Amino acid sequence: AAMSGMMNMGRRDPAVQFSFMVEIDGLSLGMFSEISGIEWEMRSQEIKEGGVNNHEQHLLGRAKYAPLTLKRGFVAADNLLYQMMSQSMDPNTPIQRQIVHIIPMARSTGGGTGGLLGANELGRITFYECFVQKWTGPGFNTKTNDIAVEAITFKYDYFAFHPGGPLGQLMEAGMMGGLNAVGKGTPSI
């Protein structure tokens, strides 16, 4: 009887609180519970101008970005991540830099629209020209409930923030003149 009850209930996976979905070039990599490295710093150079004794001039330099680290995640069953890692390690393979999207997700309220046209998507942070710098797997211990990836670190050139889900982004593009002439009704994105 216990077995039949379990078969009716279906598969029971551990309840993990993922808050961030990750896509690489539009393909879903997986979900992670912690992300760090969304950091930007503008370098500057101080110039001491002759005759100006009450302050220094500051010239803007280049922007500097911290490495992006994804922690405690579950990745998809395909080998997309492994391909990126092997390109970073193999000196005979050119590194194909990728676009990585971090997508903060709203907690589902059980309304039935979960994920439909990005309904649970709060926005996107897009990281350009990424490659895998470091990967840390979980420790294998039968007494713990570790998951597939402890940490992945990406290096990237720059990032951009896009508010709202895809539907919100399309609507924003329409309000900003992204729609063609009245009557055509197709976005020009």
Side-chain angles (χ1 to χ4, degrees):
M3 284 296 271
S4 66
M6 194 149 182
M7 292 177 97
N8 290 338
M9 291 174 49
R11 183 174 142 175
R12 296 185 63 161
D13 291 330
V16 181
Q17 295 296 321
F18 293 116
S19 300
F20 306 99
M21 189 168 66
V22 178
E23 290 180 358
I24 296 178
D25 282 344
L27 301 173
S28 178
L29 174 64
M31 298 193 77
F32 291 82
S33 60
E34 184 180 337
I35 296 175
S36 62
I38 305 172
E39 185 176 323
W40 170 77
E41 176 185 348
M42 179 58 79
R43 296 177 186 160
S44 65
Q45 180 181 2
E46 296 175 352
I47 304 293
K48 295 173 173 62
E49 187 176 351
V52 179
N53 296 326
N54 60 352
H55 69 277
E56 297 176 339
Q57 301 290 332
H58 299 276
L59 298 179
L60 294 179
R62 294 186 177 174
K64 179 180 176 183
Y65 298 92
L68 175 67
T69 302
L70 315 175
K71 293 183 180 177
R72 289 180 283 291
F74 180 79
V75 296
D78 62 15
N79 64 350
L80 177 63
L81 180 62
Y82 178 75
Q83 287 175 350
M84 286 184 74
M85 289 169 33
S86 64
Q87 287 175 352
S88 297
M89 293 183 288
D90 186 359
N92 299 319
T93 304
I95 295 175
Q96 298 293 321
R97 294 177 176 233
Q98 308 289 337
I99 295 173
V100 175
H101 301 279
I102 305 297
I103 306 165
M105 304 297 285
R107 301 264 188 237
S108 178
T109 58
T113 61
L116 178 65
L117 293 175
N120 289 347
E121 184 176 316
L122 298 174
R124 288 176 177 248
I125 304 170
T126 303
F127 298 83
Y128 296 93
E129 302 296 322
C130 297
F131 63 91
V132 177
Q133 180 185 25
K134 182 179 178 181
W135 176 82
T136 305
F140 292 109
N141 184 344
T142 58
K143 296 179 182 178
T144 64
N145 195 14
D146 288 342
I147 48 183
V149 174
E150 183 59 31
I152 302 171
T153 301
F154 292 98
K155 286 291 253 182
Y156 60 94
D157 288 352
Y158 61 99
F159 67 85
F161 178 71
H162 310 285
L167 187 59
Q169 292 170 22
L170 283 172
M171 291 174 66
E172 181 180 329
M175 286 186 257
M176 302 298 280
L179 293 177
N180 290 330
V182 178
K184 292 184 180 177
T186 56
S188 61
I189 295 177

